Amino acid sequence: MTDDSKSTYPLDMPEPNDPPQPVTETPLPVSESPQPVAAEPRRNFLSKALAVVIGGIVTLVPFAAGLAVFTDPLRTRKKGSGNGDDDGFIKVATFDELPVGDPPQRFQVIDDRVDAWNMFPNESVGTVYLSRATEDEVLALNVTCPHVGCPVDYDTARHVFQCPCHNSSFKPTGEIDNEDSPAARGMDALEIKIKNKNEVWVKYQEFRPGTAEKIAEA
Ligand code: FES
């Protein structure tokens, strides 16, 4: 036999016709002590960043100071600060060394020589021929042949400039001496100044070889 009055629901479950039971909420456990904040990694990051910045400054400051010293002569070199005046003229000779009517004489042009990184004070930066036709008349010629750049000699017996490379010849005044000269122009005359009544100052320049036109090199 079966007992029909017996419920099929478990004892702790409400039966379908039971009134709704109030729901009791179980509070979640609350921690008694405050949770730790993740501050330590951030502090480490800032310390490392600060160390990198300080390390960079310590490295770069001496490097910059060394670079400034290394390039100082080039940075501070001003126009005319070598042997030249403000217009680029350099003292080359005096009248005492240039008797009137003498053959052209070679003189070195002494100035500071500068390349991309270095300055060499008081070196020869070029060579010129000087001659003095009258008391106040001085002629300066660049010794470089305008054909392809060999240094030109002066032949005192023939009274001409003679280039040893391809046989160009020039008059004492610098013009082309014969039609067979391969040079396309005469020797390059240079600007001069007379200072203190007997000093010959020359503006030394180099010019492009191989052209009929006289073109100053940069
Ligand atoms: S370099 Fe002088 S003649 Fe050629």
Side-chain angles (χ1 to χ4, degrees):
M1 281 184 61
T2 304
D3 185 359
D4 293 338
S5 65
K6 219 175 198 177
S7 171
T8 59
Y9 287 86
L11 291 176
D12 56 344
M13 291 284 291
E15 294 192 16
N17 294 328
D18 284 353
Q21 298 296 313
V23 177
T24 57
E25 291 185 358
T26 306
L28 294 172
V30 177
S31 173
E32 293 179 358
S33 59
Q35 294 295 313
V37 179
E40 197 60 31
R42 188 159 167 260
R43 202 173 299 130
N44 285 342
F45 171 76
L46 289 175
S47 298
K48 286 177 182 172
L50 189 61
V52 168
V53 170
I54 292 173
I57 292 172
V58 167
T59 304
L60 287 177
V61 168
F63 175 76
L67 189 63
V69 170
F70 182 66
T71 60
D72 185 67
L74 303 182
R75 286 188 308 109
T76 57
R77 187 173 192 266
K78 297 183 180 69
K79 186 180 177 186
S81 65
N83 293 341
D85 65 11
D86 287 345
D87 297 322
F89 287 80
I90 296 169
K91 182 185 171 187
V92 174
T94 63
F95 280 178
D96 300 336
E97 301 166 272
L98 291 173
V100 175
D102 267 15
Q105 295 183 62
R106 278 187 186 228
F107 290 89
Q108 299 292 318
V109 180
I110 305 299
D111 195 9
D112 299 338
R113 186 167 61 80
V114 180
D115 63 22
W117 295 103
N118 303 295
M119 183 179 72
F120 306 94
N122 293 322
E123 292 213 348
S124 174
V125 294
T127 309
V128 296
Y129 279 108
L130 294 183
S131 57
R132 196 164 157 224
T134 67
E135 283 292 328
D136 301 322
E137 194 180 347
V138 177
L139 175 65
L141 297 171
N142 194 318
V143 299
T144 304
C145 180
H147 180 219
V148 288
C150 291
V152 172
D153 297 324
Y154 186 74
D155 185 334
T156 51
R158 294 171 51 226
H159 305 289
V160 291
F161 289 105
Q162 186 73 44
C163 181
C165 292
H166 311 103
N167 231 17
S168 284
S169 61
F170 308 91
K171 297 175 182 173
T173 48
E175 291 101 351
I176 291 176
D177 183 56
N178 71 67
E179 295 175 355
D180 298 330
S181 290
R185 65 173 189 267
M187 292 175 69
D188 296 314
L190 301 169
E191 292 180 62
I192 64 149
K193 274 184 189 174
I194 306 300
K195 293 191 183 187
N196 302 319
K197 297 187 177 175
N198 77 336
E199 295 174 358
V200 180
W201 291 61
V202 176
K203 186 170 189 174
Y204 182 76
Q205 283 183 286
E206 291 173 350
F207 299 88
R208 188 176 304 171
T211 61
E213 193 181 352
K214 185 179 171 186
I215 302 170
E217 298 280 23

